[in-house]
Amino acid sequence: MKIGIVCYPTYGGSGVIATELGKGLAMRGHKVHFITYAPPARLEHFHENIFYNEVRFADYPLFDYPPYETALASKLVDVVKYDKLDILHVHYAVPHASVAYMAKKILLSEGIYIPTVTTLHGTDITLVGKNPVYAPVVTFAINKSDGVTAVSESLKQDTYDNFNIDRDIKVIYNFIDFERFKRTNKEHFKKAVAPLGEKVLIHVSNFRKVKKVEDVVHIFEKVVKKIPAKLLLVGDGPERQNVEMLCRQLGLCDSIRFLGKQDAVEELLAIADLFIMPSASESFGLSALEAMACQVPVISTNAGGLPEVNIHGVTGFLSNIGDVEDMAKNALLILENPEIHQKFSAAALANAEQYSIENILPHYEAYYEAVISRSLYLKP
Ligand code: GMT
């Protein structure tokens, strides 16, 4: 198949999944065209089946904001037409689903039918998309996609609860490349971070409010009162400064390291004893899955799709949003008991294995084929 992939090229989970999906499809012989405004963060290497089409903006003094949607729709029309794509897969509904619809209509006026698939990732539904500022367009565009997928059962339900959706949504879970995310021996690195054998807690996110990074610090404060520990905070975003201030107020600066955005997250996970994800909303929790693949148990909230990924009492523990007391208690239970830790680490890996790219990617291929054959009769 010739597949067009639209996503945000930044560090967000939707961009990661879209890019890894495209890379995986290219390895399986499909031609994959990424159509984004910058090279996707995880698109590091050349592959003969991968093509990168940059969306360019024509600036004009009248514009306070460059018209991203118009530029993207025009680029989609161009790529679909000249590279003869079979299907267009857009990730994150806002604004990609409505842009795909616009491109589809333009192409139809020229006698070309391009089937579109929209993958709902999380905040496009739970936060941004349901805002009345965007909701009518998001609802319309989801209903007009030829195929719609969501990354968890919880997100599928949230979509039905928040929007007037009259079509089926297929759940295709996030996935992981075990070639990359696996526990490796990084003892030298662990010694540098935790020279006295302290336990290493880790949090990875884009530091948006929804991630509740301040709760990570509060949990850590309770843990470090009981056992020697260090906290690694990986990622960057709008809340970072507030979190830094909180660490200073609590006098924890010596025990907490802000590492900023990191490419080789798996190397950091390889020295971690526990992953903390206290999100207020999380459709799936890809970074928790990455941790589990590296045999790191997870302390998380029970928000959104997290209970589908982090199995309570097996791969980690779930608590109510904001219940830092409970999350700290659970963290200590795992960290203070080597046998429990070992059991949870093994279970984390075992549970993560069902989400391997080898297991999940064929679901996307089959879904594309179904969508394409369903829309054959729509071809002009
Ligand atoms: O919140 C992020 O890390 C980014 C965000 C996105 O859409 O780019 O991630 C969402 O999509 C990921 C991939 O499907 C999911 O694993 C995350 O759980 C989801 N984030 C939220 O729902 C807050």
Side-chain angles (χ1 to χ4, degrees), residues 12-14 92 121-122 151 174 206 208 211 281-286:
S14 62
Y92 206 87
H121 277 277
V151 298
N174 281 175
N206 46 25
R208 284 182 291 160
K211 301 291 177 181
S281 167
E282 200 70 59
S283 68
F284 181 93
L286 180 61

Side-chain angles (χ1 to χ4, degrees), residues 4-9 33-38 40 52-58 66-81 85 88-104 106-107 114 116-118:
I5 291 186
V6 176
C7 65
Y8 285 105
H33 288 257
F34 285 98
I35 305 142
T36 52
Y37 60 79
Y52 169 58
N53 307 269
E54 188 157 309
V55 180
R56 298 207 155 268
F57 306 97
Y68 171 59
E69 282 93 331
T70 307
L72 177 58
S74 298
K75 192 72 185 175
L76 292 182
V77 168
D78 189 73
V79 177
V80 170
K81 200 155 58 173
L85 300 191
L88 205 50
H89 185 178
V90 303
H91 293 258
Y92 206 87
V94 190
H96 298 145
S98 53
V99 173
Y101 178 73
M102 168 69 107
K104 182 158 75 175
I106 296 169
L107 287 159
I114 182 74
T116 61
V117 170
T118 299

Side-chain angles (χ1 to χ4, degrees), residues 142-143 145-148 160 165-169 367 374:
I142 291 173
N143 281 327
S145 297
D146 296 280
V148 181
Y160 286 128
I165 299 300
D166 58 15
R167 52 161 315 117
D168 193 36
I169 297 174
Y367 193 63
R374 257 199 328 256

Side-chain angles (χ1 to χ4, degrees), residues 119-239:
T119 288
L120 312 172
H121 277 277
T123 50
D124 47 352
I125 295 302
T126 56
L127 221 61
V128 191
K130 74 176 185 197
N131 187 317
V133 170
Y134 304 113
V137 174
V138 175
T139 309
F140 176 83
I142 291 173
N143 281 327
K144 292 293 178 189
S145 297
D146 296 280
V148 181
T149 74
V151 298
S152 64
E153 290 292 343
S154 151
L155 185 61
K156 173 178 171 173
Q157 198 48 52
D158 274 341
T159 311
Y160 286 128
D161 292 345
N162 288 301
F163 300 86
N164 193 4
I165 299 300
D166 58 15
R167 52 161 315 117
D168 193 36
I169 297 174
K170 174 145 181 84
V171 173
I172 303 183
Y173 286 112
N174 281 175
F175 56 83
I176 194 158
D177 181 358
F178 278 89
E179 285 294 311
R180 173 170 177 180
F181 286 92
K182 59 184 170 201
R183 188 117 189 148
T184 47
N185 188 342
K186 296 276 169 204
E187 269 318 303
H188 59 292
F189 187 25
K190 183 149 189 168
K191 281 217 170 74
V193 170
L196 304 175
E198 297 94 331
K199 297 293 179 193
V200 177
L201 288 75
I202 189 168
H203 169 80
V204 183
S205 79
N206 46 25
F207 283 55
R208 284 182 291 160
K209 254 205 162 358
V210 71
K211 301 291 177 181
K212 288 181 80 64
V213 189
E214 72 282 5
D215 280 5
V216 179
V217 176
H218 289 305
I219 294 163
F220 179 71
E221 186 196 14
K222 293 179 190 304
V223 168
V224 81
K225 272 191 184 140
K226 294 271 166 88
I227 56 170
K230 298 279 183 186
L231 173 63
L232 300 179
L233 292 173
V234 184
D236 212 332
E239 287 301 303

